Amino acid sequence: MAAAPGGRGRCVTVPLPLPGAASPPCAATAAASAGGREKAAEVAAMALPVLSSSGVKFRRVLAHFPQELSLAFAYGSGVFRQAGPSAGHSENNMLDFVFAVDDSVTWHMMNLLKNKSHYSFLKVFGPKQISNIQSYGAGIYYNTLVPCNGRMIKYGVISTDALIDDLLHWKTLYVAGRLQKPVKILTQNENGKLQAALVSNLKSAVTAAFLMLPESFSEEDLYMQIAGLSYSGDFRMIIGEDRSKVQNIVKPNVPYFQKLYSNILQDCPQVVYKHHLGRLEIDKSPEGQFTQLMALPKNLQQKITSLVDPPGKNRDVEEILLQVAHDPDCGLVVHQGISGIVRSSSIVQSAKTILTADVTHHPEGCFKKPAGQKNL
C-alpha cells in the first residue's frame, strides 16, 4: 500500500517504510502488502465500530434509502448526548446522517424514485444535475427537514472518492472533520482504501492537535483541540452556532473519544501517554515539530506554505516547514492553515443549502414504508 501523494511521513498504515520519507509520528508498519491491508481494516474496525443491535432505529431509517452505500453514519446531538441547553432533549433533536456512495448519479436517480419529496425544486433537473451541484464546496449534497419514522432527519450524500480525498488530504475538512469526532457507523463495505483513509484522518487529527498544544496537556485538552479542528474558521461559529459547541460535544463523550484515539496514542513514538493519569507529553523540539508538520495532510501543508512563503519565492515545501518548525508561533500558523480550509468550504456549502433545502415541508417524508416492509 503506497502512501498518499504529498503525504510523506503521514501517520498511515503502510507495508514498508517509504524510501527517504521522514519518520512518521504514529505509523504502524506491516510486513507485507496483504498484511498492511488487514491491519488497516483491523484498526478501522476498532476505531469506528459498527453499531450493535442498539442501533435498530438508525437501521430502520437506512431501510428507506437505496442500499448501495460504501459508508453510512449518524452523528450529532440526536445521536450522542451533548452538554448545554439541549442536553435533556436529545430524543427530539434532528438525526443527522451521511451516506457515501460510489456512483452519485445512479444513487440520486434511485433515491428520486423512492423519495422524490425529500428534494428541493432541484429535483426537476434530474440526478445528473443534482450530482453536479453536490460536487461544489465540500462535495456533499444535503436533504434537510425530512420526516422519517417519527423523527426529523437530515442526510448528506457524498461520493466515496470525494470522501477518501477529504480524509487523506483535508481538501475541505467538512466530512473528514465530522469523522474526527464520535459517530455511529451504520454500514461500511470492505473498501480497503476507504478503511485506511478513515484511520489516516484520525492520525492526522492527532498530529495537527499536537502542533497546537503545549508540551504537557490532559486527554480532554487533546479531544477539545481535535473536536475544534473542523470549526476553526467556520463563520457559522461566529454568527449562528453556540460558541461553547466544542466543549458541549467533548465533555459528555470523553469515553467515545478514547475509543477512537487511545490505540493511536499508545502507538505514537512522539508522545508519552500516561493513561492512568489522563495526561500526555509530546516532543515540542523543532525536530519533533518538523516531523509532525511533514506528517500533515497535503492540503494543509500547502495552506501553511502559502501563509509563510511570499509569492514568487517558490521555496521547497520541506524548507518552509522546517522554518515553521523553529517558529515559536508554529501552532498558530497551523491553526491559521486549518481555518483557511474550513472557512472556504463552509461558506460555499452554506450557500448551497439555499438551493438544496426545500422551503416547504415534506408532507410524506419517509413515513411511507418501503415496499415489502412491515410497519416500523
Side-chain angles (χ1 to χ4, degrees), residues 47-65:
L48 300 166
V50 176
L51 269 180
S52 63
S53 58
S54 63
V56 169
K57 66 179 178 180
F58 299 108
R59 296 187 189 281
R60 285 177 172 171
V61 170
L62 280 192
H64 292 280
F65 296 94

Side-chain angles (χ1 to χ4, degrees), residues 119-126 133 141 354-359:
Y119 290 82
S120 71
F121 72 94
L122 293 173
K123 58 179 170 276
V124 303
F125 296 107
I133 292 169
Y141 186 103
I354 299 171
L355 295 175
T356 61
D358 199 344
V359 294

Side-chain angles (χ1 to χ4, degrees), residues 177-190:
R178 279 160 173 65
L179 285 162
Q180 291 163 358
K181 296 177 275 288
V183 301
K184 296 284 190 184
I185 299 292
L186 307 176
T187 185
Q188 182 179 347
N189 67 16
E190 295 183 358

